[in-house]
Amino acid sequence: MSHETFLTHAIDLALTHSADGRNGPFGAVVVRDKQIVGQGWNQVVSSHDPTAHAEVMAIRDAGKQLGTHQLKDCTLYTSCEPCAMCLAAIYWARIPTVYYACTMEDAGAAEFDDGVIYDELTQPWAKRRVAGVNLLRDQGQAVFKAWHKNPGRVQY
Amino acid sequence: MSHETFLTHAIDLALTHSADGRNGPFGAVVVRDKQIVGQGWNQVVSSHDPTAHAEVMAIRDAGKQLGTHQLKDCTLYTSCEPCAMCLAAIYWARIPTVYYACTMEDAGAAEFDDGVIYDELTQPWAKRRVAGVNLLRDQGQAVFKAWHKNPGRVQY
């Protein structure tokens, strides 16, 4: 099983699951030891879940299959270069390598303009389209203080 | 019901659900028309899901409750300033305003170093810790071409 084989599987998922026009044309698989351990496709519209991108779904599936939130020894194959949400999810999952077919430019040309969100994330709140308001900071910090006093806490 | 009330509810979720040391100390609620329509707390470790951050869980819950992937008329309240994954999810959900208690600096001081991922996203692949490999671009582009020929496609 080559990288091309796994990436083709991700592309096939994108094609198959978007055929009815409901799910966006994106697919992904997570692979460990040359075995597919997770797969996903865009289900944003069909499942009323804006976070249900192909990569996120594949990561969730792999975590469930393997019984862990850390996928350090896995590789992700995706039909399109990950958006900012999915790339951040890849970092949180500790996946070291991503193979992708379409580029972000291809996605933009296909009217999936992921570049805008990357740009927004680099801005301070004052320049973002989303407004951010900081309130009750002391009350929030008390949660972290309680966490650090908890001897049973799981670090990750 | 004030902004402080909803934010306090998010903070309470963080405190309650992290008490056993398993779930990270983060909580969030989504509000529409002064009603809570979604809530979430960090469940990364307990659900083996690296994407199960409080804001993502609250957004998923709201989408399910309201039967839509677009939360344009909602506000998100979160116990801590969103990480890059959660902020991108907020953009995808079209949520216009976020209230947060702890700042990213507080999270960093509490050993939740979200800043690293923000920094990584601004880099080109060559400088990122995660390796990105582009393969089979033509095969990937064929999926977008099929999508654009599909008269039943749902744009979002």
Side-chain angles (χ1 to χ4, degrees), chain B:
Chain B
M1 298 285 273
S2 66
H3 296 307
E4 284 80 3
T5 309
F6 293 123
L7 192 50
T8 297
H9 189 78
I11 294 168
D12 286 346
L13 287 175
L15 203 59
T16 308
H17 290 279
S18 64
D20 72 356
R22 199 133 185 256
N23 298 313
F26 301 91
V29 296
V30 174
V31 170
R32 191 179 70 168
D33 295 338
K34 301 204 175 274
Q35 300 278 334
I36 291 174
V37 293
Q39 52 184 4
W41 50 92
N42 186 292
Q43 296 169 49
V44 168
V45 174
S46 61
S47 68
H48 308 309
D49 179 356
T51 74
H53 285 199
E55 298 92 327
V56 164
M57 297 308 286
I59 288 170
R60 279 185 208 160
D61 189 33
K64 198 173 167 183
Q65 300 298 330
L66 301 175
T68 176
H69 60 285
Q70 297 214 338
L71 306 173
K72 287 180 187 178
D73 48 0
C74 294
T75 301
L76 190 128
Y77 297 82
T78 171
S79 65
C80 185
E81 191 173 355
C83 80
M85 176 180 72
C86 292
L87 184 54
I90 288 161
Y91 278 92
W92 283 122
R94 315 286 197 269
I95 295 174
T97 310
V98 177
Y99 288 83
Y100 60 94
C102 291
T103 65
M104 228 164 53
E105 288 69 32
D106 297 333
E111 296 165 27
F112 294 99
D113 199 2
D114 302 0
V116 173
I117 298 180
Y118 271 101
D119 293 343
E120 286 280 305
L121 296 198
T122 64
Q123 301 293 325
W125 281 110
K127 294 191 175 178
R128 287 176 182 154
R129 295 183 192 180
V130 168
V133 185
N134 188 210
L135 280 184
L136 306 182
R137 189 172 174 186
D138 289 353
Q139 204 172 314
Q141 287 173 331
V143 179
F144 286 151
K145 283 177 192 153
W147 177 254
H148 276 275
K149 281 185 192 155
N150 187 336
R153 73 184 186 276
V154 179
Q155 296 285 49
Y156 72 90

